């Protein structure tokens, strides 16, 4: 074969000398140039022939290199260094040979005696009679299988955790009413039409119509925090027809049915009818939202019985929850693009090699061989390295002592924390604690704050002592009334009466119900008289539909007027002297987002005086109360302090006035058409010339360190949007008090719009404002998105902050998707309630807070934290680290594959584009695993700046959002580095070892491993002791393996000084220029963080 194949390496003098040497050894003087057809056949045979790397292999083969050992031996004898270190070499060679013989002892073949028909008599164990033509063994597929196994295992673990959480919820037991009594059923076995009993503090398993309750009033409270995000308790009323039944079992003795509308998204409305057709005439009762019990809400008082109308995916909570998507990080998408580019490079390089080969012989077979030879260009190990890196990042986040309680639930997107541009946050329970504190009472001429509440208490006590006591028993031991003092000024009496009247109005005008926990031995089903109730303060809690209401009633209790009892028709107050005042509750006008106010009509049982009390937002009350010159100014002052203001007013009615109002109000409620408008018109007839009593200021306490955290996020270039289901006024107050909107910024409140023309005008008005925070409601948002989606998003994205109030869970998720579509930026959603789940799942990165509103958001999120302030460190420190480290790790793994592929390309091109592998077997497996894996993976411990610096200078975060750590520019830089180093390593090995060509594998592979280790050291910015250990561990593994890889290395040769210094020279030549370039770049154009490090 050597006589017919002239190997003529090209492009260097050394190669030309070697080609002449090969030709002289293989052809006689009269030999002729072989024909083209013969060359094609021999090229094919050459492709199939492995490149022998050991001296023994060369001496025993009749191939191309049979003359090389003799020439090498002849030249080696003339080297002076051979004589100088012969003793050392002999000692090392003897030790290595002994290790090889011990570790790779081959089976000695011996003569054997074979018994006919008795194989069991054979003294030795012989090989099985099988034919094995396989090219690979099981170990060959370990790297690829490991990559798939890591990815599949990670996904399986995440899915199993979700399965366990679902199973826990679906396995909860509930009582089901049957003809034979109560039976226990699983939540997953509940069907439409079942009668389900739900106890206090138990989750409602499906959407139901409220039929019956253990409470005497026929109503109960439920907590809806997992549905709409509000921790306020909602009052629900049972169907009167079923509530009046004498016993629970009578539900099966009647013939009745419920007609319900089709399942829909709106959680704030319901239309249905209850019909009992076994009576004459049939009983028809209309059903509204107050008769419903939605799934995922929790019973707060009593025991309820309901009939199931919607189950599973038809419930309101599921309809408002979007299906979770498999989130893929932006870094993974960028790496996928680069991998596609590498695949195209692989195909192009293979085609070029076949083209330069001249398409000789079966060229398509050569093409596929080149595709296999250069397949290391595709970084197969990139996936496993990144997955292991992501797992390490998650472990570091959960071990961070500065953010205790943080849980990483999705291990695939930690890098997203470092690429965020938009942060969409809930308000209640996320930015605020949902703990209301009464701060200010303003009467027009005098203002009371937290430090002067004792004065209010004195005024209330003085006024209450003037009231006639029905029993007289409780007031005899009290403090003498102040009116008995003759020297008390008349003005003082006036102030006391005004304060008392304001406090009494606040104590009466609300929807709060005091609840007394069951005493020992008394069950919730037991009915006991009012006189038997324990009115002690320790046993009483307040339930209401708004935390503002509770805060106001708790404040009136602190100053002397305590709400001790309330039902659907009356309420009772207790004075500081122990006297109980009873009021009949004639009418209640609940708060609506349209009216922005609520009111009650009460009759004092002791005086028979009828009073209409009303409270509401200043914008709604300013036109209702009598003229004054201080209301607007004081409300503005309180709002600037971040307080939620309420204006309180009253109007005294005569009996005739009330009777006239009641008749008109009842008639309006019975009308079929335009019922809402007619009822509102009748109520407005009362809202005239009302007496202004006071203005209250309540503070919703913010979470710890919310203000500095929001400021940090703004300085980091992150735009913050607040999406809440709360009222517009409340959302605006919180936006200002939390400094989401700075004090110097203007706020544009988007007026309510209902048509295309109104939306057009309002958008034009908003367009004329600059650097202005936007506040708009969910209804207006819906109209604008229907007609002017692009225009609205364009304007909103230019705002420094956006507040969306009255947002449904579906609207929150839609806003997230709109931002992703229109800006193509990364979004993050953070919330703490079940109503935030859709938003969290729709965002590129979801963060859940585990708080008062339960664990729904926390379990559905990618990251779970305990308070909003932890977001700062999660993004500034861990987001930065994860992105920077993964970018470096990904590019280095690509460099590792490009480097060895470049060496293969150089090797093949030097030898006439032959598709012969440069490295085979364990060398290729070891290169991607034990020889380089640990140092490369240790890049997950690298950091460019310290955590303290990243937190102190959040402006550094802006650079991350630009994606400069991983881009086509940095990728091309690494490609050039790989091509340069691969060419230097391969050409250097060929040039320096022209007389030892048979050892080109040992030479180039050793230099390759050293180069990889040095390149890791060049990339590292902050050393960790594990990085040093990884470097020396990999180097030690390689050196130790040389003793066992006698198939590839000649131990006697690699222990020579020549081998050592020439390998060192090639390695230094491949790395030193890069060190110089890196040093000059840092000096001439240092990165922004390097200035802070110094």
């Amino acid at each position: 074969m050597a006589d017919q194949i002239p190997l003529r390496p090209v492009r260097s003098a050394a190669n030309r000398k070697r080609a002449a040497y090969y030709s002289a050894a293989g052809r006689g003087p009269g030999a002729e140039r072989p024909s083209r057809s013969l060359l094609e056949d021999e090229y094919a045979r050459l492709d199939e022939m492995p490149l022998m790397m050991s001296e023994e292999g060369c001496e025993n083969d009749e191939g191309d290199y049979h003359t090389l050992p003799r020439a090498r031996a002849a030249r080696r004898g003339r080297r002076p260094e051979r004589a100088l270190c012969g003793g050392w070499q002999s000692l090392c060679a003897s030790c290595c040979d002994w290790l090889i013989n011990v570790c790779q002892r081959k089976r000695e073949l011996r003569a054997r005696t074979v018994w006919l028909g008795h194989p069991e008599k054979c003294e030795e164990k012989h090989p099985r009679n099988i034919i094995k033509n396989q090219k690979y063994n099981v170990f060959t597929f370990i790297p690829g299988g490991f990559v798939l196994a890591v990815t599949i295992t990670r996904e399986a673990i995440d899915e199993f955790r979700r399965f366990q959480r679902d199973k826990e919820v679906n396995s909860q037991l509930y009582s089901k009413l049957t003809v034979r009594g109560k039976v226990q059923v699983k939540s997953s076995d509940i069907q439409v039409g079942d009668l389900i009993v739900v106890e206090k503090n138990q989750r409602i398993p499906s959407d139901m119509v409220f039929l019956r309750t253990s409470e005497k009033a026929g109503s109960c409270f439920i907590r809806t925090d997992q549905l709409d995000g509000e921790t306020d308790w909602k009052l629900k009323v049972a169907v009167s027809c079923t509530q009046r039944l004498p016993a629970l079992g009578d539900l099966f003795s009647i013939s009745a049915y419920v007609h319900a509308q089709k399942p829909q998204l709106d959680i704030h409305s319901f239309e249905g009818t209850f019909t009992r057709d076994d009576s004459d005439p049939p009983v028809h009762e209309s059903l509204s939202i107050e008769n419903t019990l939605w799934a995922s809400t929790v019973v707060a008082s009593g025991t309820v019985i309901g009939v199931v109308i919607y189950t599973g995916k038809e419930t309101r909570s599921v309809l408002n929850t979007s299906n979770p998507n498999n989130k893929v990080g932006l870094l993974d998408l960028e790496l996928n693009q680069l991998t596609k580019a590498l695949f195209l490079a692989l195909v192009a390089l293979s085609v070029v090699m076949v083209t330069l080969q001249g398409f000789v012989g079966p060229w398509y077979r050569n093409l596929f061989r080149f595709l296999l030879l250069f397949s290391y260009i595709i970084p197969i190990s990139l996936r496993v390295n990144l997955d292991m890196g992501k797992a390490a990042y998650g472990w570091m986040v959960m071990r961070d002592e500065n953010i205790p309680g943080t849980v990483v639930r999705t291990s695939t997107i930690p890098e997203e924390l470092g690429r965020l541009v938009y942060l969409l946050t809930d308000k209640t329970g996320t930015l605020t604690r949902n703990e209301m504190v009464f701060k200010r009472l303003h009467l027009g001429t005098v203002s009371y704050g937290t430090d002067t509440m004792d004065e209010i208490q004195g005024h209330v006590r003085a006024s209450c002592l003037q009231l006639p006591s029905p029993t007289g028993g409780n007031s005899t031991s009290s403090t003498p009334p102040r009116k008995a003092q003759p020297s008390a000024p008349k003005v003082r009496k006036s102030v006391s009466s005004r304060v008392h009247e304001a406090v009494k109005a606040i104590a009466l005008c609300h929807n709060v119900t005091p609840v007394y926990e069951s005493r020992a031995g008394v069950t919730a089903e037991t009915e006991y008289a009012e006189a038997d109730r324990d009115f002690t303060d320790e046993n009483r809690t307040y339930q209401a539909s708004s935390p503002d209401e509770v805060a106001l009633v708790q404040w009136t209790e602190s100053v002397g007027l305590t709400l001790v009892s309330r039902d659907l028709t009356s309420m009772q107050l207790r004075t500081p002297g122990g006297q109980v005042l009873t009021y009949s509750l004639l009418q209640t006008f609940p708060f609506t987002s349209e009216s922005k106010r609520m009111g009650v009509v009460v009759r004092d049982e002791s005086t028979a005086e009828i009073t209409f009390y009303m409270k509401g937002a200043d914008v709604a009350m300013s036109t209702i109360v009598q003229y004054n010159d201080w209301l607007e100014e004081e409300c503005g002052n309180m709002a600037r302090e971040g307080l939620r203001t309420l204006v309180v007013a009253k109007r005294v009615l005569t009996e005739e006035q009330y009777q006239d109002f009641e008749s008109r109000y009842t008639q309006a409620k019975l009308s079929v058409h335009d019922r809402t408008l007619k009822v509102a018109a009748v109520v407005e007839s009362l809202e005239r010339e009302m007496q202004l009593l006071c203005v209250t200021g309540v503070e919703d306490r913010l979470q710890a360190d919310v203000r500095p955290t929001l400021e940090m996020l703004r300085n980091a270039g992150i735009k913050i949007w607040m999406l809440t289901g709360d009222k517009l006024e409340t959302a605006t107050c919180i936006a200002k008090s939390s400094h989401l909107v700075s004090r110097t910024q203007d706020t544009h409140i988007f007026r309510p719009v209902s048509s295309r023309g109104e939306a057009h005008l309002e958008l034009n008005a908003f367009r004329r404002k600059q650097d202005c925070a936007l506040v708009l409601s969910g209804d207006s948002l819906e109209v604008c998105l229907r007609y002017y989606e692009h225009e609205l998003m364009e304007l909103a994205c230019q705002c420094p902050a956006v507040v969306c109030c009255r947002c449904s869970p579906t609207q929150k998720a839609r806003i997230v998707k709109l931002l992703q579509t229109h800006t193509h930026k990364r979004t993050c959603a953070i919330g703490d309630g079940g109503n935030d789940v859709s938003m969290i799942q729709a965002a590129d990165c979801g963060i859940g807070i585990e708080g008062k509103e339960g664990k729904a958001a926390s379990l559905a999120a990618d990251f779970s934290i305990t308070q909003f302030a932890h977001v700062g460190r999660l993004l500034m420190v861990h987001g930065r680290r994860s992105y920077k480290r993964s970018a470096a790790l990904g590019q280095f793994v690509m460099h590792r594959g490009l480097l060895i592929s470049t060496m293969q390309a150089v090797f093949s091109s030097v030898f006439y584009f032959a598709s012969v592998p440069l490295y085979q077997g364990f060398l290729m497996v070891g290169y991607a695993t034990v020889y380089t894996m640990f140092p490369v993976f240790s890049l997950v411990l690298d950091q460019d700046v310290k955590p303290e610096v990243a937190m102190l200078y959040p402006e550094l975060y802006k650079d991350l959002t630009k994606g400069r750590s991983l881009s086509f520019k940095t990728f091309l830089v690494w490609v050039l580095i790989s091509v340069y180093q691969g060419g230097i390593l391969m050409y250097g090995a060929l040039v320096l070892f022209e007389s030892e060509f048979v050892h080109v594998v040992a030479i180039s592979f050793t230099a390759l491993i050293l180069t990889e280790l040095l390149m890791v050291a060049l990339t590292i910015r902050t050393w960790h002791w594990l990085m040093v250990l990884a470097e020396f561990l990999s180097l030690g593994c390689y050196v130790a393996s040389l003793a066992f890889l006698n198939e590839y290395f000649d131990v006697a040769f690699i222990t020579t000084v020549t081998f050592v210094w020439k390998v060192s020279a090639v390695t230094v030549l491949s790395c030193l220029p890069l060190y110089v370039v890196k040093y000059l770049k840092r000096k001439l154009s240092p990165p922004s963080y390097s200035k802070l490090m110094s």
Side-chain angles (χ1 to χ4, degrees):
M1 181 174 175
D3 296 338
Q4 298 167 336
I5 303 178
L7 293 178
R8 296 191 182 92
V10 294
R11 300 184 184 88
S12 71
N15 289 339
R16 286 193 295 271
K17 289 194 294 182
R18 183 157 51 248
Y21 180 71
Y22 294 158
S23 300
R27 297 205 317 249
E32 295 180 358
R33 187 178 182 88
S35 64
R36 178 179 178 86
S37 60
L38 184 60
L39 274 176
E40 293 175 357
D41 295 337
E42 294 303 332
Y43 272 131
R45 292 174 60 190
L46 176 63
D47 293 342
E48 298 172 354
M49 182 186 69
L51 185 62
M52 301 304 296
M53 303 306 167
S54 64
E55 186 173 348
E56 293 81 0
C58 290
E59 290 173 349
N60 296 331
D61 190 53
E62 295 289 331
D64 304 290
Y65 311 113
H66 69 281
T67 59
L68 280 178
R70 293 192 295 272
R72 175 172 51 77
R75 295 192 181 189
R76 190 181 298 169
R78 295 194 293 269
R79 293 175 182 164
E81 61 269 25
R82 171 81 175 186
L84 294 176
C85 54
W88 175 81
Q89 177 186 349
S90 300
L91 179 62
C92 292
S94 300
C95 294
C96 292
D97 290 339
W98 178 78
L99 285 174
I100 292 172
N101 291 332
V102 171
C103 299
Q104 289 192 346
R105 185 176 298 164
K106 295 183 178 180
R107 178 175 176 271
E108 182 180 355
L109 301 179
R110 298 177 182 177
R112 66 196 67 182
T113 302
V114 180
W115 293 82
L116 278 69
H118 296 283
E120 67 277 1
K121 291 186 177 182
C122 295
E123 298 177 357
E124 296 184 45
K125 185 177 180 180
H126 301 296
R128 297 174 60 198
N129 188 35
I130 59 174
I131 298 174
K132 188 175 182 180
N133 292 319
Q134 292 96 327
K135 185 178 180 181
Y136 304 109
N137 55 40
V138 66
F139 299 102
T140 311
F141 298 96
I142 287 178
F146 184 62
V147 173
L148 294 175
V150 169
T151 304
I152 294 173
T153 302
R154 186 201 67 221
E155 293 294 334
I157 291 174
D158 290 346
E159 185 65 20
F160 181 70
R161 288 173 179 170
R162 287 189 286 267
F163 165 76
Q164 285 184 314
R165 293 196 295 266
D166 293 341
K167 183 179 179 181
E168 180 182 355
V169 174
N170 294 329
S171 300
Q172 290 182 357
L173 295 178
Y174 291 89
S175 296
K176 173 183 172 181
L177 283 182
T178 65
V179 178
R180 294 181 298 273
K182 294 182 180 180
V183 295
Q184 296 290 314
V185 295
K186 291 183 178 180
S187 175
S188 57
D189 295 332
I190 292 175
Q191 299 176 346
V192 173
D194 286 346
L195 298 180
I196 303 298
V197 180
V198 185
E199 305 290 343
K200 181 180 178 181
N201 294 325
Q202 197 172 16
R203 183 184 71 90
I204 296 174
S206 57
D207 289 354
M208 303 192 299
V209 168
F210 187 12
L211 298 181
R212 189 177 175 85
T213 177
S214 60
E215 298 291 304
K216 289 192 309 178
S219 62
C220 77
F221 282 95
I222 64 170
R223 295 196 296 268
T224 62
D225 46 17
Q226 295 302 310
L227 187 64
D228 58 13
E230 298 183 11
T231 54
D232 322 328
W233 292 9
K234 306 297 189 298
L235 182 68
K236 297 295 180 177
V237 180
V239 176
S240 59
C241 179
T242 52
Q243 179 65 25
R244 289 194 302 264
L245 294 175
L248 193 60
D250 293 337
L251 288 172
F252 291 97
S253 64
I254 65 173
S255 174
Y257 61 89
V258 170
H259 176 76
Q261 64 182 157
K262 66 178 182 180
Q264 59 181 8
L265 291 172
D266 192 0
I267 61 176
H268 299 296
S269 68
F270 175 75
E271 294 179 1
T273 56
F274 175 88
T275 303
R276 179 178 178 180
D277 57 4
D278 60 350
S279 60
D280 190 20
V283 176
H284 299 281
E285 189 171 339
S286 64
L287 302 177
S288 64
I289 186 65
E290 66 179 6
N291 305 118
T292 59
L293 302 170
W294 295 144
S296 298
T297 59
V298 177
V299 177
S301 63
T303 301
V304 302
I305 297 93
V307 57
V308 178
I309 55 174
Y310 307 123
T311 56
K313 61 184 180 181
E314 292 182 345
T315 60
R316 292 292 203 271
S317 59
V318 175
L319 288 174
N320 278 277
T321 302
S322 58
N323 293 325
N325 300 320
N326 291 325
K327 297 184 180 180
V328 180
L330 182 59
L331 182 95
D332 293 325
L333 296 176
E334 292 169 343
L335 288 173
N336 288 344
Q337 296 296 325
L338 297 181
T339 304
K340 293 175 184 177
L342 289 174
F343 175 75
L344 295 177
L346 165 64
V347 175
L349 181 59
S350 301
V351 171
V352 168
M353 297 298 287
V354 173
T355 303
L356 294 176
Q357 199 180 52
F359 291 98
V360 294
W363 62 269
Y364 52 88
R365 186 172 62 178
N366 293 336
L367 176 63
F368 281 105
R369 284 177 179 166
F370 279 123
L371 287 173
L372 291 176
L373 287 178
F374 300 142
S375 62
Y376 267 78
I377 291 179
I378 306 298
I380 300 177
S381 61
L382 176 61
R383 185 73 268 154
V384 66
N385 276 277
L386 283 179
D387 286 346
M388 293 172 62
K390 294 172 190 288
Y393 306 148
W395 182 81
M396 295 174 189
V397 170
M398 291 189 286
R399 289 291 300 271
D400 192 342
E401 296 178 353
N402 295 292
I403 48 175
T406 302
V407 179
V408 179
R409 302 192 185 277
T410 304
S411 59
T412 56
I413 55 171
E415 301 88 2
E416 293 295 275
L417 295 172
R419 308 291 297 278
L420 301 177
V421 178
Y422 289 95
L423 179 69
L424 301 99
T425 175
D426 182 36
K427 177 189 70 68
T428 308
T430 303
L431 297 180
T432 68
R433 301 181 185 180
N434 208 30
E435 298 175 1
M436 305 298 172
V437 180
F438 192 93
K439 288 289 188 180
R440 188 74 53 84
L441 179 69
H442 204 292
L443 302 180
T445 57
V446 61
S447 177
Y448 297 95
T450 53
D451 54 344
T452 55
M453 291 301 173
D454 55 337
E455 296 184 22
I456 298 179
Q457 192 171 4
H459 290 311
V460 172
R461 181 178 294 274
S463 297
C464 288
L465 288 178
Q466 300 175 14
L467 298 174
S469 176
T471 60
N474 291 329
S475 59
T476 55
S477 61
S478 60
T479 305
R482 298 197 177 197
K483 71 172 187 174
Q485 301 174 3
S487 60
K490 194 171 185 180
V491 141
R492 182 64 175 269
K493 294 179 183 178
S494 175
V495 170
S496 294
S497 62
R498 289 173 59 194
V499 170
H500 176 257
E501 193 60 40
V503 174
K504 185 173 72 171
I506 296 172
L508 291 172
C509 186
H510 53 72
N511 57 14
V512 180
T513 302
V515 176
Y516 298 89
E517 297 297 327
S518 300
R519 294 172 297 179
V522 180
T523 64
E525 299 285 346
T526 305
E527 295 185 1
Y528 46 86
E530 293 286 340
D532 295 333
R533 285 199 177 185
D534 183 6
F535 286 136
T536 57
D537 296 340
E538 296 79 10
N539 197 43
R540 180 177 57 250
T541 57
Y542 293 116
Q543 297 177 0
S545 61
S546 169
D548 302 66
E549 302 276 69
V550 175
L552 292 173
V553 172
Q554 287 176 339
W555 175 77
T556 62
E557 178 184 355
S558 69
V559 296
L561 274 184
T562 304
L563 177 68
V564 294
S565 173
R566 177 176 181 156
D567 55 29
L568 295 179
T569 59
S570 66
M571 68 174 71
Q572 293 179 327
L573 302 180
R574 189 178 62 202
T575 65
Q579 182 180 353
V580 176
L581 308 177
T582 303
Y583 296 87
S584 297
L585 192 56
L586 303 179
Q587 299 290 346
T588 301
F589 312 117
F591 178 91
T592 64
S593 57
E594 291 79 18
S595 65
K596 297 183 174 60
R597 55 189 181 271
M598 69 89 58
V600 295
V601 179
V602 297
R603 175 187 282 118
D604 189 340
E605 291 297 320
S606 61
T607 63
E609 183 183 62
I610 300 176
T611 309
F612 173 38
Y613 291 105
M614 176 162 281
K615 67 180 179 184
D618 56 324
V619 292
M621 298 291 292
S622 59
T623 58
I624 296 175
V625 299
Q626 297 171 348
Y627 173 78
N628 61 85
D629 57 357
W630 59 272
L631 178 60
E632 183 178 357
E633 180 182 358
E634 292 304 327
C635 287
N637 292 337
M638 291 188 187
R640 280 186 286 273
E641 296 177 21
L643 301 180
R644 304 164 68 156
T645 58
L646 283 175
V647 179
V648 183
K650 78 168 186 176
R651 179 184 175 187
V652 179
L653 303 176
T654 63
E655 187 68 31
E656 292 76 14
Q657 287 176 326
Y658 174 72
Q659 293 298 332
D660 175 63
F661 163 77
E662 186 182 28
S663 63
R664 291 186 290 115
Y665 186 67
T666 303
Q667 186 177 1
K669 287 199 299 182
L670 293 176
S671 61
V672 179
H673 302 289
D674 299 328
R675 178 188 302 178
T676 304
L677 294 177
K678 292 179 180 179
V679 169
V682 174
V683 174
E684 285 179 4
S685 65
L686 282 182
E687 301 170 347
R688 295 174 183 172
E689 292 298 312
M690 299 190 70
Q691 178 187 350
L692 176 60
L693 297 178
C694 65
V695 177
T696 63
V698 177
E699 179 187 37
D700 187 357
R701 299 181 62 185
L702 296 175
Q703 294 272 7
D705 298 325
V706 162
R707 292 189 180 101
T709 302
L710 289 176
E711 184 179 358
M712 177 194 300
L713 296 175
R714 275 203 307 271
N715 293 335
I718 298 175
K719 294 186 177 181
I720 306 168
W721 289 32
M722 186 170 77
L723 313 180
T724 176
D726 217 330
K727 302 187 295 290
L728 186 143
E729 294 78 16
T730 306
T732 306
C733 286
I734 296 301
K736 292 179 179 178
S737 63
S738 65
H739 294 176
L740 175 67
V741 178
S742 64
R743 296 182 182 273
T744 58
Q745 282 179 344
D746 292 331
T747 302
H748 178 81
I749 298 179
F750 207 89
R751 291 188 302 174
V753 296
S754 57
S755 64
R756 181 170 186 168
E758 293 176 353
H760 181 79
L761 293 175
E762 191 61 24
L763 284 173
N764 283 339
F766 177 52
R767 190 186 299 273
R768 290 191 288 267
K769 296 188 177 182
Q770 295 181 347
D771 193 31
C772 179
L774 174 64
V775 181
L776 78 165
S777 65
D779 296 336
S780 300
L781 174 69
E782 200 69 30
V783 174
C784 292
L785 292 180
R786 188 181 307 137
Y787 301 111
Y788 300 106
E789 177 182 305
H790 180 75
E791 291 78 1
L792 176 64
M793 296 305 299
E794 181 183 2
L795 292 173
C797 291
Q798 296 173 359
C799 296
V802 176
V803 178
C804 295
C805 57
R806 289 296 177 191
C807 280
S808 67
T810 308
Q811 282 180 322
K812 291 183 177 183
R814 186 181 179 189
I815 292 172
V816 172
K817 294 176 181 177
L818 286 172
L819 278 175
Q820 294 170 337
T821 304
H822 286 270
T823 66
H824 303 289
K825 303 292 185 182
R826 309 313 277 179
T827 59
C828 174
I830 176 170
D832 69 318
N835 65 316
D836 302 317
V837 170
S838 296
M839 173 178 70
I840 287 173
Q841 292 179 339
D844 298 302
C845 178
I847 301 176
I849 298 179
E850 186 174 330
K852 292 184 178 181
E853 298 189 18
K855 295 184 178 182
S858 171
L859 294 175
D862 306 306
F863 302 90
S864 173
I865 58 179
T866 56
Q867 55 180 304
F868 184 82
H870 291 172
V871 174
R873 185 174 180 87
L874 192 64
L875 268 59
M876 300 301 116
V877 177
H878 294 287
R880 180 182 190 86
R881 286 178 176 176
S882 300
Y883 171 58
K884 286 279 190 178
R885 291 168 174 175
S886 289
L889 180 63
Q891 292 179 123
F892 209 94
V893 172
M894 290 182 180
H895 161 263
R896 187 170 62 185
L898 284 168
L899 181 57
I900 197 169
S901 298
T902 302
M903 296 179 67
Q904 177 67 58
V906 172
F907 175 78
S908 296
S909 61
V910 165
F911 291 102
Y912 283 94
F913 312 105
S915 53
V916 178
L918 175 59
Y919 307 125
Q920 292 183 349
F922 183 77
L923 294 184
M924 297 300 289
V925 176
Y927 173 70
T929 54
V930 294
Y931 295 157
T932 62
M933 182 178 68
F934 300 116
V936 172
F937 186 71
S938 70
L939 291 173
V940 301
L941 300 172
D942 192 20
Q943 62 180 25
D944 55 349
V945 297
K946 295 181 179 179
E948 298 79 14
V949 176
M951 295 287 289
L952 187 60
Y953 299 99
E955 292 80 6
L956 293 172
Y957 190 87
K958 294 180 181 178
D959 292 337
L960 303 181
T961 59
K962 299 174 182 177
R964 292 176 177 173
S965 297
L966 179 65
S967 61
F968 272 101
K969 178 182 177 181
T970 59
F971 171 69
L972 291 176
V973 170
W974 278 101
V975 170
L976 293 177
I977 291 175
S978 304
V979 172
Y980 165 76
Q981 289 185 325
I984 290 295
L985 291 175
M986 199 64 240
Y987 275 116
L990 294 175
V991 170
L992 293 178
F993 293 90
E994 57 174 311
S995 58
E996 291 85 13
F997 178 70
V998 71
H999 298 293
V1000 67
V1001 168
I1003 298 160
S1004 60
F1005 193 77
T1006 303
L1008 173 64
I1009 297 299
L1010 294 176
T1011 298
E1012 275 295 298
L1013 299 182
L1014 290 174
M1015 282 300 295
V1016 173
L1018 174 65
T1019 306
I1020 291 174
R1021 287 160 291 205
T1022 304
W1023 282 91
H1024 189 278
W1025 67 270
L1026 286 175
M1027 295 176 171
V1028 180
L1029 178 63
E1031 291 272 338
F1032 284 104
L1033 179 63
S1034 295
L1035 184 60
C1037 288
Y1038 178 66
V1039 173
S1041 66
L1042 294 178
F1044 312 110
L1045 300 176
N1046 61 329
E1047 181 182 353
Y1048 308 105
F1049 303 116
D1050 182 1
V1051 178
F1053 173 67
I1054 63 177
T1055 53
T1056 62
V1057 173
T1058 302
F1059 173 82
V1060 174
W1061 81 260
K1062 288 189 175 182
V1063 166
S1064 301
V1066 173
T1067 305
V1068 169
L1069 186 60
S1070 67
C1071 294
L1072 184 60
L1074 299 179
Y1075 272 94
V1076 174
V1077 171
K1078 180 179 180 181
Y1079 176 80
L1080 293 177
K1081 182 180 179 182
R1082 286 200 171 188
K1083 286 295 182 183
L1084 300 177
S1085 178
S1088 56
Y1089 62 82
S1090 64
K1091 304 172 185 176
L1092 302 177
M1093 296 290 287
S1094 60

